[in-house]
Structures are given as C-alpha cells and as structure tokens.
Amino acid sequence: MLELKPLAYAYDALEPHIDEETMRIHHDKHHQAYLDKFKLALQDLPDLKDLPVDEVLWRLADLKEKLDSKTWMVLKNHGGGFAHHNIFWEIMSPKGAREPVGDLKNLIEDLGGFDKFRQQFSDLAMSQFGSGWAWLVLNQDKKLEMYNLPNQDSPLTLHHQPLLGVDVWEHAYYLKYQNRRADYVDAWWQVVDFAAAEKRYQTALTKNHS
Ligand code: MN
C-alpha cells in the first residue's frame, strides 16, 4: 500500500534555510498530488500496483511498449514525483552530516574532494533549464555519477540508484527565494544529510532489481 510518509522532522525544522510554508506545501500538497495521481493510474494496472514505486520506475523503459502513452506518462511523471520526494525528505535533516561520511567520504575524496564535488553538483542544479533535479547516483558499474534530469525523469529508469538529489522545481524554493535558485541551492547544502546518503549508498551496493 503506497502512502505518503510524514516528515521525520517538523515542518519548520529546516528553517531558516528551507522555510516552513514551503515544506508544508511541498510535502502535503505537491508530494501528495504526485502520489494520488500515481495511485489512480495503478488502479487499472494489476501487474504493477503492488510493486514498490522504485521498481515501477526501474521497469519504465520496458513498459513503454506495453502501456498506452497517457498511462505511461502518468507513471513517469507522478511515479517519479512520488519516489523522488521520498528521497528528498530523507536526505535532508535539521541535524545531519553536512559533509560526506563513511565510504562516500572516501569516494568523493577520490573524485577531487568535497569542495569540488559540491561545486559540480551545484552547477548541475543551476544548469538544469526549467524544472528538474540534480542527482548523485550509483551506476550499474557501482560507480558514482552526477547529472541533472528534467521534470521527474528518474535515475531509476536509467537503472541507477539515486543517493542524493536536489529538487530545483520552482515550487521547492520560490516562496522564499523567488528567482534566486543559487541562494536556494546554497541553503540546501546547510540541511543536506550525508549520513542518509551514505545509508542509501550501502543499500544500493547490495540492491538487486528483478
Ligand atoms: Mn518538488
């Protein structure tokens, strides 16, 4: 049964970096709407409706030929929106590790260090034209990779495991930051939780999709 999990922290817990009103609308309205529309589409898809959303997105390329294009788009857009926001709330925290820890710390050191990583990731967040996300993923060779994707297109559909993602849809920042996406991305680094990303990395290393 798919449901919207409550945040693991208060709506105002990420203040002043991410404001309470944005968190309320983003979680209770936007995230809820992605889930509602995803569930509605699944009602007519008995083979898919009991799968975890990540699994649906993992199979999305194969499903393209099997489903009508409208249904397929709902799974992509709203399934993606549901899955991605689950990750987004998880990898932020009022008291998290603001810099990489564990294996991710070593891997990011190997890529040139955290400052460079942070700059590259911020650049991806900034250069996403229009709505989308910047992602850090574990690819099929079990290597780290970073890129941006438009809208709710999912790394899972590329068979990559998302470890960290920043939402750069305007709904994620417009109330507080208006057009200043760079200020929002800077603020996001103040609430990111690399302990959660590390946990996702360890899970991703051993995860097998059918
Ligand atoms: Mn969002």
Side-chain angles (χ1 to χ4, degrees):
M1 179 68 185
L2 298 168
E3 50 186 34
L4 189 67
K5 281 206 310 192
L7 295 175
Y9 37 83
Y11 291 102
D12 65 356
L14 306 180
E15 292 263 11
H17 309 291
I18 314 265
D19 61 290
E20 176 178 355
E21 193 185 9
T22 296
M23 289 298 289
R24 278 190 188 281
I25 296 171
H26 202 173
H27 179 271
D28 296 3
K29 306 295 183 193
H30 290 278
H31 197 184
Q32 183 73 57
Y34 288 121
L35 173 59
D36 290 346
K37 287 175 186 156
F38 181 55
K39 278 167 86 167
L40 202 61
L42 286 176
Q43 278 183 355
D44 300 322
L45 304 169
D47 294 347
L48 300 179
K49 74 178 180 52
D50 295 321
L51 291 176
V53 61
D54 287 17
E55 198 60 45
V56 174
L57 295 170
W58 194 269
R59 297 181 187 184
L60 200 64
D62 291 340
L63 290 168
K64 192 159 190 177
E65 290 153 23
K66 295 172 190 151
L67 300 175
D68 68 84
S69 61
K70 196 175 154 212
T71 303
W72 186 81
M73 284 302 286
V74 174
L75 298 187
K76 177 166 110 93
N77 291 332
H78 297 280
F82 175 54
H84 298 156
H85 290 84
N86 288 338
I87 299 166
F88 192 53
W89 313 133
E90 178 191 332
I91 54 88
M92 297 190 292
S93 168
K95 286 187 183 140
R98 306 307 181 209
E99 297 194 7
V101 295
D103 287 347
L104 275 184
K105 180 183 164 84
N106 296 329
L107 292 167
I108 287 170
E109 282 303 321
D110 293 344
L111 295 174
F114 180 55
D115 287 348
K116 185 178 169 195
F117 168 85
R118 182 179 149 142
Q119 188 60 54
Q120 286 175 334
F121 199 80
S122 294
D123 288 347
L124 288 167
M126 289 307 296
S127 62
Q128 172 56 45
F129 181 73
S131 298
W133 296 69
W135 292 106
L136 170 69
V137 303
L138 193 66
N139 70 19
Q140 284 184 296
D141 300 325
K142 304 287 184 191
K143 301 271 191 240
L144 296 185
E145 218 179 296
M146 277 192 266
Y147 47 75
N148 49 31
L149 290 175
N151 304 313
Q152 300 297 354
D153 291 6
S154 188
L156 290 159
T157 305
L158 305 172
H159 295 179
H160 296 165
Q161 300 284 353
L163 306 179
L164 200 67
V166 61
D167 184 349
V168 295
W169 284 59
E170 284 185 345
H171 69 227
Y173 61 88
Y174 209 85
L175 288 176
K176 184 175 170 77
Y177 295 100
Q178 294 84 47
N179 59 318
R180 301 186 309 278
R181 186 188 288 186
D183 291 351
Y184 157 71
V185 172
D186 283 346
W188 178 78
W189 288 110
Q190 306 302 312
V191 294
V192 71
D193 185 4
F194 274 97
E198 171 69 11
K199 209 168 155 186
R200 291 188 62 81
Y201 171 75
Q202 296 299 337
T203 305
L205 275 181
T206 56
K207 197 160 190 171
N208 288 311
H209 284 265
S210 44

